[in-house]
Amino acid sequence: MTPYKIETRDAFTVYAIGTQLSLGNHDFSAIFKEKRTFEKQLKDDGIQAKLDAGATSDLHYAINESYHHKMMYYLGVDADHALTGDEAGRLIEFPAGPYLVVPHAAADVDTLRNELSGTTFGDIIGRLEGYAYVGGPNAVAETGTNDQGLVTGEMLVPLVEQ
């Protein structure tokens, strides 16, 4: 089983630009393609560079959240205020409390995000004892690269004690 830990985290805020995922959550290859198209658009339009310039850390986040009854996907950075002047952006508050933290390393960012999401929600969440995920934003935080040149990160899922 993939290693994970439950740890208490302080509250943190991410400023993120998002898009509504127009596809149902059952066609994972189509969702993957939709997310990649959105990420490319942010890079091509210079929005990712604006996010990076105003960030308070080197972390990058890929966030999934049900927001106003819509499935949303965001890319963001640590920040305590809006960074781009873009109305599509918003501050996303991650609460203080227990988090499921799943570390991982992969050959590239896409693989990191997909493997972390699949393992976390396909295997680990269902096996947790004493905790539950009841919604709210969850994120893959990209933390850098390791000595082998792999992209590193961790899945962050806020939990409640049962």
Side-chain angles (χ1 to χ4, degrees):
M1 183 169 179
T2 302
Y4 68 88
K5 55 190 167 189
I6 309 255
E7 61 184 42
T8 301
R9 295 272 177 122
D10 292 334
F12 63 98
T13 303
V14 173
Y15 181 73
I17 304 292
T19 188
Q20 180 180 349
L21 296 175
S22 60
L23 305 170
N25 63 357
H26 302 290
D27 185 350
F28 295 110
S29 64
I31 291 171
F32 176 79
K33 183 177 179 184
E34 191 173 2
K35 288 178 177 183
R36 297 304 78 73
T37 299
F38 173 68
E39 293 165 7
K40 183 179 181 327
Q41 178 185 353
L42 288 187
K43 187 174 182 179
D44 291 349
D45 292 347
I47 295 170
Q48 185 65 53
K50 289 179 185 178
L51 289 173
D52 292 345
T56 58
S57 80
D58 291 334
L59 295 177
H60 290 91
Y61 297 89
I63 302 165
N64 293 293
E65 180 183 32
S66 177
Y67 185 69
H68 294 288
H69 306 289
K70 299 173 187 168
M71 185 43 114
M72 300 294 294
Y73 176 68
Y74 300 91
L75 293 179
V77 295
D78 285 317
D80 57 3
H81 63 282
L83 299 175
T84 65
D86 187 321
E87 292 183 17
R90 65 181 268 262
L91 292 170
I92 300 174
E93 303 286 334
F94 285 80
Y99 276 79
L100 171 63
V101 180
V102 184
H104 190 58
D108 57 61
V109 171
D110 288 340
T111 304
L112 176 77
R113 292 176 186 165
N114 287 334
E115 289 178 354
L116 275 171
S117 295
T119 299
T120 300
F121 289 100
D123 183 33
I124 298 171
I125 290 282
R127 295 177 185 229
L128 289 179
E129 293 183 16
Y131 293 92
Y133 172 59
V134 293
N138 62 78
V140 172
E142 298 156 24
T143 57
T145 55
N146 64 17
D147 294 341
Q148 293 81 35
L150 298 175
V151 177
T152 59
E154 56 189 16
M155 186 83 194
L156 303 172
V157 180
L159 301 173
V160 295
E161 291 187 56
Q162 291 185 307

